Amino acid sequence: MAVEIPYELFGEEEEEFRRAARAFVEKELAPHAEEWERAEAFPREVMRRVGELGFFGLKYPEKYGGQAEEGREAKGILADAVLTEELAGAGSGGVAASIGAQKDLFTLYLYRFGSEEQRQRWLPPALAGEIIGALAVTEPEAGSDVAAIKTRAERVEGGYLLRGTKVFITNGAWADAVVVAARTSPGPGHEGISLFLLEAGTPGFSRRRIRTLGWRTSQTGELVFEDCFVPEENLIGEEGRGFYYLVENFVWERLVMALGAVAGAERVYRSAKEYSLTREAFGRPVGKFQSWRHRFADLVTAIEEAKRLTYHVLRLYLAGQPCLKEAAMAKAYATEVAFLAADEALQVHGGYGYMMEYPVQRAWRDARLGPIGGGTSEIMREIVARSLSA
């Protein structure tokens, strides 16, 4: 049965939560952004603090340590969407990405497809921020093309032996547990991909931190599996169904990326507009020149378009409607608009925008990953194009 979703997505309950989430971000995250960016890391205690506040569990049932009340699941999803938007104010894309990977990737796969025993064991500590999780899909030769993954899981007595390499894994360098996509049957294509839960410390499991252009605090990792034994009970869902699980969760992953991108674009636009009225050239503020007034007009129009498209997808998602195509549209458009906003913001700063002392350079670097991560813009367009010829 379809769920009736009002046009105004966020009511007073959501706005009250927004105020609480914003207060946390402004008091406990944003003031440390510069320090953490220089260190290219942030403390694990931050993840525990997010868990302590209940922010990891907004869309998960109370019986697993979450906050969602039975029968009010849509409210939990809306609160989670609000949190995603507010995390854009953290000042560090890596911090927001790490929190997002915990609440939207690792825990979501366990909740949706894991056994009851797996949920009871892993969700409470993950939602409390006591353990950190990651999702490992991308490989050196298989990024957006999930069906091309080569990591293998060979069945042996009592479980599987995992062999392969994963790259660009958010939280991968410090995760306590990882959901790994691996091939359990030979041959190319999407058939025969399965999901496994691999614990840190498993013999044969090694990882290293990858330095990145943006998201510098995100603990992005390369993971290597050399005959890692995974017990049979760590298979997530059914063997051979992993590709379908991934596709199902991609909708939410792309939706939250769009939500974060729009919120980030709005923030960087406001900052750029404010700066343009303080920087002078030829005796008047740069922002008073017609060229910049028109560029800002185009930018706010694009941001509004991206926001309306993204909220449309959120409504479809809440109503339980299929929205794979629409999520691809929103993810591609919103992340590209977010980078455009950051690029325009850097430009209006002139030479100062290119200096590391000014936060706008970080917004530019962080926004650049949007059209790449979670499925490239090219792949998003291919998803849309295929739907048109169906």
Side-chain angles (χ1 to χ4, degrees), residues 99-370:
I99 293 172
Q102 182 86 346
K103 73 182 183 68
D104 299 317
L105 301 181
F106 178 75
T107 49
L108 193 60
Y109 280 88
L110 285 171
Y111 173 62
R112 282 188 168 170
F113 311 118
S115 66
E116 185 62 21
E117 182 180 352
Q118 289 169 342
R119 293 174 187 154
Q120 292 288 353
R121 180 182 175 188
W122 293 101
L123 283 178
L127 298 182
E130 295 169 359
I131 65 167
I132 295 174
L135 172 68
V137 178
T138 303
E139 298 182 0
E141 297 179 3
S144 297
D145 184 6
V146 176
I149 67 170
K150 296 180 180 178
T151 295
R152 296 294 305 275
E154 178 186 347
R155 181 176 279 278
V156 295
E157 184 177 355
Y160 302 81
L161 284 182
L162 197 62
R163 304 184 186 97
T165 302
K166 301 290 185 179
V167 291
F168 315 136
I169 309 304
T170 304
N171 283 347
W174 68 349
D176 300 294
V178 184
V179 173
V180 182
R183 190 168 295 283
T184 46
S185 63
H190 59 266
E191 298 292 345
I193 294 175
S194 303
L195 302 183
F196 299 90
L197 185 69
L198 182 69
E199 299 181 49
T202 298
F205 176 31
S206 61
R207 61 265 186 91
R208 69 178 181 90
R209 177 85 180 273
I210 300 174
R211 297 191 67 198
T212 54
L213 173 68
W215 288 19
R216 290 186 178 177
T217 61
S218 72
Q219 295 286 339
T220 302
E222 176 187 64
L223 316 183
V224 178
F225 317 114
E226 299 177 300
D227 289 335
C228 297
F229 177 72
V230 183
E232 191 167 17
E233 58 267 25
N234 281 21
L235 171 68
I236 297 175
E238 298 179 31
E239 184 177 306
R241 296 289 300 173
F243 179 84
Y244 303 99
Y245 299 153
L246 290 166
V247 170
E248 184 175 332
N249 273 9
F250 279 161
V251 172
W252 177 252
E253 180 181 353
R254 290 162 183 166
L255 175 53
V256 293
M257 288 192 73
L259 285 164
V262 171
E266 289 178 324
R267 288 176 181 275
V268 80
Y269 158 71
R270 289 195 297 267
S271 176
K273 188 69 165 58
E274 182 180 342
Y275 181 82
S276 76
L277 298 176
T278 63
R279 178 188 168 205
E280 291 197 356
F282 303 101
R284 58 178 173 149
V286 171
K288 295 292 186 180
F289 285 89
Q290 187 183 68
S291 60
W292 271 109
R293 290 170 60 227
H294 287 188
R295 286 168 79 165
F296 282 141
D298 288 342
L299 184 57
V300 295
T301 301
I303 292 172
E304 184 65 19
E305 289 173 339
K307 188 172 188 174
R308 288 177 180 271
L309 174 58
T310 299
Y311 280 6
H312 170 63
V313 181
L314 181 55
R315 289 188 184 91
L316 292 176
Y317 187 86
L318 287 166
Q321 298 296 317
C323 51
L324 180 66
K325 174 190 70 177
E326 291 81 1
M329 289 177 176
K331 193 270 181 186
Y333 189 63
T335 55
E336 289 173 5
V337 166
F339 182 65
L340 171 64
D343 199 51
E344 292 285 63
L346 191 147
Q347 184 72 19
V348 82
H349 277 71
Y352 293 106
Y354 207 63
M355 301 296 103
M356 294 300 288
E357 292 88 342
Y358 281 71
V360 68
Q361 52 76 26
R362 184 165 67 247
W364 186 89
R365 289 186 290 103
D366 285 347
R368 187 61 187 87
L369 184 61

